[in-house]
């Protein structure tokens, strides 16, 4: 993966976790370390994105009017 594709912090986190997981799981048979790296990267990327959103205070818009959820504020 080239650095030009990594434009956000969650992408950088996911790439770093994928590299670390692939190296840590290198001894697994049938190249399962790649599968472990993908799963770990997806999980880490989603967690980093959620943490970034909560740090900025963004909330999802309600799916229906009047369901009690707050709208996202700029």
């Amino acid at each position: 993966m080239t650095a030009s594709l990594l434009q956000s912090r969650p992408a950088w986190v996911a790439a770093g976790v994928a590299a670390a997981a692939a190296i840590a799981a290198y001894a697994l048979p049938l190249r399962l370390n790649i599968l472990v790296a993908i799963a770990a990267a997806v999980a880490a990327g989603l967690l980093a994105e959620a943490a970034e959103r909560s740090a900025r205070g963004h909330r999802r818009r309600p799916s229906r009017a009047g369901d009690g959820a707050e709208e996202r504020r700029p």
Side-chain angles (χ1 to χ4, degrees), residues 5-69:
L5 295 174
L6 302 175
Q7 297 178 358
S8 65
R9 186 178 305 246
W12 278 99
V13 169
V17 167
I23 292 169
Y26 182 73
L28 291 176
L30 303 172
R31 295 187 184 177
L32 289 176
N33 63 328
I34 302 301
L35 184 63
V36 169
I38 291 170
V42 168
L46 290 173
L47 287 172
E49 187 175 340
E52 188 175 75
R53 282 186 181 174
S54 68
R56 290 184 181 172
H58 288 174
R59 294 193 172 102
R60 290 186 176 187
R61 291 185 177 192
S63 58
R64 287 180 269 139
D67 68 353

